[in-house]
Amino acid sequence: QRLSVRTLRSSRLSTTAMEACGCVITSQDERKVVERCGKFEDVLDAGFSCVLPCLCQFVKGSISTRIQMLEINAETKTKDNVFVGIKVAVQYQVNGDSQSIQDAMYKLTNPRMQIESYVLDVVRSSVPKIDLDNVFLEKEEIAASIKEMLNTTMGGFGYSILATPVTDIEPNNEVKRAMNEINKAKRLRQAAVDEGEAIKIRSIKEAEAEAARTEIQAKADAEAKFMQGQGIARQRQAIVSGLRDSVNCFKADVAGVDSKQVMDLLLVTQYFDMMKDIGGNSRSNAVFMNHSPGALQDLTQAIQGGFMSSLPAAPSFAQVQR
């Protein structure tokens, strides 16, 4: 560190000695102003130049032509009375022409403070017209206003404003916490609404599916009953056809027998078959009948009458004539 300080001092001494001799060296990133008897004389470009100390020509100073950046923090309040801190990064540069360098050298003492004052003025005059939520949305407009103001004012001093981006907007901590809570509540409310809509849609879809299942089941039951009815009808039709064939065959084989007698005989036969099936089935071991003596006698006479009414019709059962 001591070596670098000594080197810098020696470099300055050598530069001062060379300028005293009239030899001036200008770096690529700067311009030097020459005065004669205290009056502006010329601007020295990069490279080697000569001045005449004997004619009262001396180097007034140098101005950097590099792009410089100045960060400015401005605190103001919004239209809804919320204090915010706004950070603006101003990128500026001295113009390379002789007149601009002359203006920058002689018209401004402290250009950084001048730029800062203009930026604060623009921020504190534009942000109070905007609500806090819109400040974040309109920061590009704020940056454009700052750049326009600085180009108008600083251009007369030889400076060009390259960019003025708003790099940060910082509300009060309590305000940020409140904004986060509001955002959280909105999102929770939206989530509840979405969940309710999902439940409603699911309920509607389930009801539609249940209705479809019921309709399909009803159609299936109707089809099954229709087929069952057709089966019963065909069964009865087959029974009737069988009985008709039996009656016709009996009448054809046994002479002198009418259809009613044959039907009575068939009914008695089916009655005894039914009684046989009931007695042979272990699950049907009881027959409920009228238990009065008169009813039993009537049943006996009915069955006996059914048998006896068909006897004269058969040749083997013909009665003997006395």
Side-chain angles (χ1 to χ4, degrees):
Q1 185 177 2
R2 291 180 179 178
L3 180 60
S4 61
V5 172
R6 290 178 180 177
T7 304
L8 181 60
R9 288 179 179 177
S10 61
S11 176
R12 289 179 179 177
L13 290 175
S14 61
T15 302
T16 304
M18 290 179 63
E19 290 179 356
C21 296
C23 298
V24 180
I25 297 177
T26 306
S27 300
Q28 184 67 35
D29 60 346
E30 67 178 3
R31 297 294 183 270
K32 291 184 178 182
V33 177
V34 177
E35 291 181 347
R36 183 177 180 181
C37 297
K39 182 180 178 181
F40 174 77
E41 178 74 16
D42 194 9
V43 175
L44 301 181
D45 294 329
F48 178 80
S49 303
C50 293
V51 295
L52 301 175
C54 60
L55 299 178
C56 298
Q57 289 182 347
F58 298 98
V59 177
K60 169 67 176 178
S62 62
I63 292 181
S64 175
T65 57
R66 291 184 179 182
I67 297 175
Q68 303 180 59
M69 188 178 74
L70 174 63
E71 288 189 350
I72 302 170
N73 293 316
E75 185 177 4
T76 183
K77 73 173 184 176
T78 60
K79 186 177 180 180
D80 46 358
N81 296 323
V82 178
F83 282 90
V84 293
I86 297 179
K87 182 182 290 186
V88 181
V90 179
Q91 299 175 4
Y92 63 97
Q93 183 183 28
V94 177
N95 296 327
D97 59 285
S98 178
Q99 184 62 43
S100 297
I101 294 176
Q102 181 181 352
D103 293 339
M105 176 64 71
Y106 291 102
K107 288 185 177 181
L108 282 180
T109 303
N110 193 334
R112 299 176 69 89
M113 291 185 63
Q114 189 78 9
I115 292 174
E116 182 176 357
S117 64
Y118 284 121
V119 170
L120 293 176
D121 179 66
V122 173
V123 170
R124 290 172 180 171
S125 62
S126 59
V127 174
K129 301 177 183 178
I130 310 171
D131 291 330
L132 178 61
D133 294 337
N134 294 329
V135 170
F136 293 90
L137 300 176
E138 298 183 10
K139 68 175 186 176
E140 297 296 333
E141 288 77 1
I142 297 173
S145 300
I146 295 172
K147 183 178 180 181
E148 182 180 0
M149 171 64 75
L150 290 178
N151 277 325
T152 302
T153 56
M154 298 300 294
F157 302 119
Y159 286 88
S160 295
I161 306 301
L162 305 179
T164 58
V166 177
T167 58
D168 191 17
I169 299 175
E170 187 76 15
N172 187 275
N173 291 330
E174 296 181 358
V175 175
K176 287 196 297 184
R177 191 179 302 110
M179 292 176 66
N180 291 332
E181 292 295 332
I182 293 172
N183 190 21
K184 179 181 177 181
K186 287 182 179 179
R187 293 182 180 275
L188 290 176
R189 182 167 61 251
Q190 186 63 36
V193 171
D194 293 341
E195 184 179 2
E197 289 293 330
I199 293 174
K200 183 177 73 174
I201 293 173
R202 185 166 57 248
S203 300
I204 293 173
K205 294 300 181 182
E206 289 178 355
E208 291 177 353
E210 184 65 26
R213 284 196 297 269
T214 303
E215 183 179 359
I216 294 172
Q217 186 65 33
K219 290 181 179 179
D221 292 342
E223 185 68 21
K225 291 184 181 299
F226 175 75
M227 299 300 294
Q228 183 180 5
Q230 286 187 342
I232 293 174
R234 290 174 181 174
Q235 180 185 12
R236 291 176 179 175
Q237 185 178 3
I239 291 173
V240 171
S241 298
L243 290 174
R244 184 174 61 250
D245 294 340
S246 298
V247 170
N248 292 332
C249 291
F250 200 92
K251 288 173 64 178
D253 294 337
V254 180
V257 179
D258 57 4
S259 299
K260 182 178 184 306
Q261 293 174 344
V262 176
M263 289 298 299
D264 292 339
L265 181 60
L266 291 176
L267 290 175
V268 171
T269 303
Q270 288 183 357
Y271 176 77
F272 280 111
D273 290 340
M274 178 192 69
M275 297 299 294
K276 179 181 178 182
D277 292 338
I278 292 175
N281 192 352
S282 62
R283 297 183 180 181
S284 301
N285 52 11
V287 179
F288 295 96
M289 303 175 62
N290 194 346
H291 61 278
S292 63
L296 294 175
Q297 186 176 2
D298 293 338
L299 179 61
T300 303
Q301 291 177 356
I303 296 173
Q304 188 177 14
F307 273 113
M308 298 306 295
S309 62
S310 61
L311 289 176
S316 58
F317 292 108
Q319 298 180 359
V320 179
Q321 300 292 332
R322 293 183 181 180

